[in-house]
Amino acid sequence: MNGTAIENFVCVIFNVSFMNCTWDVGRTASEDTQYFLYWKTSKREDFSGCQNYTKDNFGRHTGCRFQNVTIEHKTAYFLVNGSRNGQNIQSYEKRILLYQIEKLTPPINVTVNCTEASHSCEIRWQPPRTSHVKKHTCFKYEIVIENKANPDKNIKPSSKTETSGPGNSFIFGSFSAEKRYSVKLRATDNGCLVSTSWGEWSTPVEFGKEQLTSTSSHMLFLIPVLTTSLVFFLFVLSIYLKKTSATVPQPRNLFHEVSSMDFQTEYKNQLIKHETEEITRITEEVA
């Protein structure tokens, strides 16, 4: 009967080896219509039936989940037929190149290394994982670099989209140490047997101001400590040098029983004792 065959049949391969196929029931299909999916990857093979159906509210099969799907250069053949009250309904057939329906995984191991002096950052990554493509040159990439908002410095959010051909790195040449950024990537075909649709986005990686601020915060803590210690050292040193460099007075020989040499020695001892006590007092006050 016309209108009983399924409609909008779509299959997607994701996460390297999983495949989902979905469809809509026929326009004239009744609630008791049931559908069954069969598929194979070679004309010489026999069809195998779906083992994991998804259903609608009436219990009708509207999809199937597959695991351990290998893409390689295979062409898959799909057949969906069914029955209603014991009567056959229109069947549906479709041939699909498996690599064309793959949703590429995100590029992996995304890293950013910035050099403030050159105002540039090198963004590096590894290609998406697939079951059938090994060459790095089979992919090209879309790169989105977002400038994070900073209300304190009146910096508004903005984004920049770049494209990169084969290769696993990109130089971002507009880096500012005062700003905070994030970067994400996705991949598509670059002339190989890869899906021409854009793949999934990588998890955004942030870079910029936070790392620099983290380093600066340690310096802001250390600078006052070092400055205070240096000032204290110079203060104590200046007092010591001032007193030790002063000329020792030569007292007149007023008493015959005490020689000039003995008096000078006693005076030096008293002066050293006084200087030691003074340095100790200053040290305690500063502490």
Side-chain angles (χ1 to χ4, degrees):
M1 296 180 60
N2 292 334
T4 58
I6 65 167
E7 300 176 351
N8 302 322
F9 182 81
V10 176
C11 292
V12 177
I13 295 175
F14 63 98
N15 199 17
V16 181
S17 61
F18 294 86
M19 182 171 69
N20 276 356
C21 294
T22 60
W23 57 85
D24 296 330
V25 299
R27 294 187 303 274
T28 63
S30 60
E31 295 178 4
D32 61 349
T33 301
Q34 191 56 281
Y35 297 99
F36 302 95
L37 170 65
Y38 303 90
W39 82 305
K40 61 181 180 179
T41 55
S42 170
K43 289 183 177 181
R44 296 185 298 271
E45 296 178 0
D46 294 328
F47 280 103
S48 59
C50 174
Q51 302 298 316
N52 187 13
Y53 284 107
T54 57
K55 303 177 181 180
D56 65 7
N57 294 334
F58 299 104
R60 296 175 296 190
H61 297 160
T62 56
C64 183
R65 300 189 181 100
F66 299 90
Q67 297 181 8
N68 303 320
V69 175
T70 303
I71 296 177
E72 296 181 354
H73 304 150
K74 295 180 178 179
T75 299
Y77 302 87
F78 294 90
L79 168 66
V80 182
N81 58 22
S83 63
R84 181 181 63 178
N85 289 330
Q87 298 178 346
N88 291 333
I89 61 174
Q90 287 180 307
S91 61
Y92 175 91
E93 297 182 28
K94 189 170 186 177
R95 183 173 66 92
I96 298 176
L97 293 172
L98 291 180
Y99 78 86
Q100 293 181 342
I101 63 172
E102 181 179 23
K103 182 74 170 179
L104 291 174
T105 63
I108 59 177
N109 299 331
V110 180
T111 60
V112 183
N113 184 22
C114 297
T115 304
E116 186 175 359
S118 62
H119 301 287
S120 64
C121 300
E122 183 182 27
I123 303 169
R124 300 188 64 85
W125 63 87
Q126 293 298 316
R129 296 180 298 113
T130 68
S131 65
H132 67 294
V133 178
K134 305 303 180 184
K135 295 181 179 179
H136 291 188
T137 56
C138 283
F139 304 97
K140 61 183 178 181
Y141 303 90
E142 184 177 49
I143 306 168
V144 173
I145 301 172
E146 181 181 355
N147 176 19
K148 298 288 187 178
N150 188 345
D152 295 337
K153 294 190 176 182
N154 198 28
I155 298 177
K156 297 181 179 180
S158 62
S159 63
K160 184 177 183 180
T161 301
E162 302 282 357
T163 56
S164 175
N168 299 335
S169 66
F170 175 80
I171 299 299
F172 172 51
S174 303
F175 172 70
S176 171
E178 296 298 319
K179 297 180 180 179
R180 184 71 175 157
Y181 304 87
S182 70
V183 60
K184 62 181 180 179
L185 301 87
R186 61 179 180 177
T188 189
D189 175 53
N190 191 46
C192 299
L193 297 180
V194 177
S195 172
T196 56
S197 299
W198 286 105
E200 297 178 358
W201 287 106
S202 63
T203 301
V205 174
E206 295 194 359
F207 62 98
K209 184 180 178 182
E210 183 172 298
Q211 288 89 338
L212 297 175
T213 301
S214 177
T215 302
S216 301
S217 63
H218 292 292
M219 294 303 297
L220 291 174
F221 172 77
L222 290 176
I223 288 175
V225 175
L226 294 175
T227 302
T228 302
S229 301
L230 181 61
V231 170
F232 171 72
F233 173 78
L234 294 175
F235 176 73
V236 174
L237 182 62
S238 64
I239 295 177
Y240 178 79
L241 292 176
K242 180 179 180 180
K243 291 189 175 182
T244 55
S245 61
T247 302
V248 179
Q250 299 294 328
R252 291 177 297 172
N253 187 10
L254 300 177
F255 305 98
H256 296 287
E257 64 274 16
V258 180
S259 67
S260 61
M261 182 64 68
D262 293 337
F263 186 88
Q264 185 174 350
T265 300
E266 179 64 19
Y267 184 83
K268 287 183 178 180
N269 292 337
Q270 291 296 327
L271 181 59
I272 293 173
K273 180 179 179 181
H274 176 73
E275 290 171 347
T276 302
E277 292 175 349
E278 185 67 12
I279 292 175
T280 302
R281 183 184 65 80
I282 295 174
T283 303
E284 291 175 350
E285 290 178 354
V286 172

